[in-house]
């Protein structure tokens, strides 16, 4: 219905934006009676896709489910009716180890109201730091889906999921920022970014100049990938016991040089708060540029309705609250 060439329903046409693209149906030659939907591979454009599947709604069973089915679904995750969502699994690429960490549905079911924030925040951690740019972009995309649900009363979704995908590798995202934007919206000193400079951010720092009081005055330049290469090279040497951090000034670009692996724990004093201002607390409009996809998937239990899908809306709102807490804290 949604992708029918004759579709003229504005609600369904808008829904296309939040679904994987549809390419018809397919049956395997060995089982011609089995029919599958051919859907877009949302991860295809990513180099190191980080993936999370979150089931949304207060109920994971449809209105026609048997008592046995209802009991089976509720027993899997009783908290579903209280918080409105369940992490079904995730796969996260860690730059620090050049490997994936995978969690299955048992991980999600083990999360409680007290641990769900930390449990989901693992999905946004690169191995070096929390990808707040990705969290912020994810919130914006989930909010758009919430807007769609708030504006429609013809479909109810059960046991359906949101698929989160973002780029986990060190591919710099380039954003144009002005010093006015940063200075006014985030109270960062105007000298931080010259007007019109290009800011590349992917949670690695390349260039900083220091002042006498140790605060960062001018920060961002091109070539974050160079810093990451230096960073990985230092890490591979295995010298984790001490940190030698040397900040140099020169007429040309100054490299932040280190003889060992830099982690968040090592960055202290004035350095970390200043770096976070630049890289993690930028204006919301810049964060949307993070390479993130959030799509609605799994449609085996979608039913016609004449009311809002309150269960799905409830789950989306609670998920947004958790993501916002991750971003804020």
């Amino acid at each position: 219905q949604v992708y029918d060439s004759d579709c003229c329903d504005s609600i369904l046409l808008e829904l296309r934006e939040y679904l994987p693209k549809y390419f018809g149906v397919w049956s395997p030659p060995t089982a011609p009676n089995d029919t599958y939907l051919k859907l877009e591979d949302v991860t295809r454009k990513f180099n190191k896709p980080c993936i999370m599947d979150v089931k949304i709604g207060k109920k994971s069973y449809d209105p026609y489910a048997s008592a046995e089915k209802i009991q089976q679904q509720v027993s899997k995750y009783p908290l579903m009716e209280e918080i409105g969502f369940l992490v079904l699994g995730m796969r996260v690429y860690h730059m620090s180890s050049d490997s994936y960490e995978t969690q299955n549905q048992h991980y999600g079911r083990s999360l409680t109201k007290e641990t769900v924030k930390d449990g989901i925040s693992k999905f946004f951690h690169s191995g070096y730091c929390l990808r707040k740019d990705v969290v912020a972009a994810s919130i914006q995309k989930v909010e758009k889906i919430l807007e769609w649900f708030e504006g429609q009363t013809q479909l109810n979704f059960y046991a359906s999921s949101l698929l989160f995908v973002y780029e986990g590798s060190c591919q710099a995202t380039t954003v144009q920022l002005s010093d006015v934007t940063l200075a006014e919206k985030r109270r960062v000193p105007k000298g931080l970014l010259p007007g019109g400079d290009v800011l590349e951010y992917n949670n690695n720092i390349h260039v900083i100049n220091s002042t006498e009081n140790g605060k960062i005055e001018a920060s961002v330049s091109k070539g974050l990938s160079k810093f990451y290469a230096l960073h990985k090279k230092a890490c591979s040497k295995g010298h984790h016991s001490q940190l030698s951090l040397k900040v140099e000034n020169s007429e040309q670009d100054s490299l932040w040089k280190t003889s060992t692996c830099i982690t968040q724990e090592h960055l202290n004093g004035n350095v970390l708060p200043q770096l976070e201002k630049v890289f993690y607390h930028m204006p919301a409009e810049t964060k949307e540029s993070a390479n993130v996809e959030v799509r609605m998937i799994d449609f085996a239990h979608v039913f016609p309705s004449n009311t809002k899908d309150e269960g799905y809306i409830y789950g989306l709102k609670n998920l947004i609250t958790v993501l916002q807490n991750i971003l804020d804290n």
Side-chain angles (χ1 to χ4, degrees):
Q1 278 184 284
V2 174
Y3 281 93
D4 191 295
S5 58
D6 296 327
C7 178
C8 57
D9 184 327
S10 61
I11 295 295
L12 296 185
L13 290 174
E14 186 185 347
L15 183 57
R16 290 182 182 181
E17 182 182 345
Y18 312 119
L19 307 182
K21 290 183 178 65
Y22 173 67
F23 298 106
V25 296
W26 175 82
S27 297
T30 54
N33 293 327
D34 293 344
T35 306
Y36 297 85
L37 301 181
K38 285 173 64 176
L39 297 174
E40 171 191 8
D41 177 3
V42 181
T43 70
R44 186 168 183 260
K45 69 178 182 180
F46 295 90
N47 181 36
K48 297 289 186 182
C50 298
I51 307 164
M52 178 169 66
D53 183 334
V54 183
K55 185 184 287 189
I56 305 292
K58 295 178 74 171
K59 297 177 180 178
S60 57
Y61 52 88
D62 64 61
Y64 303 99
S66 65
E68 183 182 1
K69 178 71 171 179
I70 292 173
Q71 180 58 37
Q72 178 195 42
Q73 289 297 315
V74 171
S75 64
K76 284 183 180 179
Y77 194 60
L79 199 59
M80 185 92 177
E81 293 193 0
E82 189 172 348
I83 66 174
F85 64 86
L86 166 63
V87 176
L88 290 179
M90 65 176 70
R91 189 180 74 165
V92 188
Y93 177 72
H94 287 169
M95 290 193 296
S96 55
S97 59
D98 189 26
S99 62
Y100 282 98
E101 176 186 352
T102 302
Q103 303 288 355
N104 62 21
Q105 58 187 334
H106 299 292
Y107 171 81
R109 291 178 194 168
S110 71
L111 299 177
T112 66
K113 283 194 298 182
E114 291 71 33
T115 63
V116 69
K117 187 191 84 168
D118 291 339
I120 290 179
S121 69
K122 276 192 174 185
F123 174 65
F124 299 101
H125 206 285
S126 70
Y128 288 124
C129 59
L130 185 69
R131 290 289 306 275
K132 290 196 173 186
D133 58 322
V134 176
V135 181
S138 298
I139 290 171
Q140 291 187 5
K141 290 179 180 292
V142 176
E143 285 177 340
K144 291 291 290 181
I145 294 173
L146 175 59
E147 284 180 22
W148 182 84
F149 272 93
E150 292 278 21
Q152 69 89 24
T153 57
Q154 62 192 64
L155 295 173
N156 280 9
F157 290 69
Y158 299 92
S160 186
S161 291
L162 289 184
L163 181 71
F164 291 77
V165 188
Y166 73 88
E167 180 55 66
S169 67
C170 187
Q171 294 181 341
T173 303
T174 302
V175 181
Q176 192 77 27
L177 284 180
S178 68
D179 57 332
V180 176
T181 302
L182 270 174
E184 289 182 355
K185 293 195 176 182
R186 296 297 169 185
R187 298 178 183 174
V188 177
K190 278 196 173 185
L192 195 62
L193 283 177
D197 273 4
V198 173
L199 169 60
E200 294 180 89
Y201 72 103
N202 63 344
N203 307 293
N204 298 304
I205 314 305
H206 174 221
V207 174
I208 61 175
N209 294 326
S210 64
T211 58
E212 290 182 3
N213 63 4
K215 291 185 179 179
I216 298 168
E217 183 163 307
S219 63
V220 193
S221 180
K222 298 179 181 179
L224 288 166
S225 57
K226 292 180 182 178
F227 177 80
Y228 177 59
L230 177 67
H231 192 149
K232 286 204 71 174
K233 184 177 179 181
C235 289
S236 66
K237 293 179 181 178
H239 305 304
H240 295 279
S241 57
Q242 293 183 342
L243 174 70
S244 174
L245 184 62
K246 184 178 180 183
V247 180
E248 297 182 346
N249 287 316
S250 66
E251 291 182 2
Q252 299 178 346
D253 288 347
S254 317
L255 281 177
W256 190 9
K257 297 178 181 178
T258 174
S259 64
T260 186
C261 184
I262 299 172
T263 66
Q264 280 190 297
E265 289 74 23
H266 291 127
L267 294 170
N268 50 33
N270 286 321
V271 177
L272 183 57
Q274 292 297 324
L275 297 184
E276 284 187 337
K277 282 183 183 177
V278 181
F279 288 90
Y280 296 149
H281 301 291
M282 290 182 296
E285 61 266 26
T286 69
K287 295 171 184 173
E288 177 64 32
S289 63
N291 200 359
V292 179
E293 291 282 357
V294 179
R295 305 287 188 93
M296 296 167 59
I297 61 171
D298 297 340
F299 314 107
H301 306 278
V302 179
F303 292 85
S305 174
N306 55 11
T307 61
K308 286 185 180 181
D309 190 342
E310 297 294 351
Y312 203 106
I313 289 172
Y314 178 84
L316 288 178
K317 286 181 176 179
N318 279 351
L319 180 58
I320 289 170
T321 298
V322 170
L323 293 174
Q324 193 63 54
N325 285 339
I326 292 171
L327 189 63
D328 294 341
N329 299 325

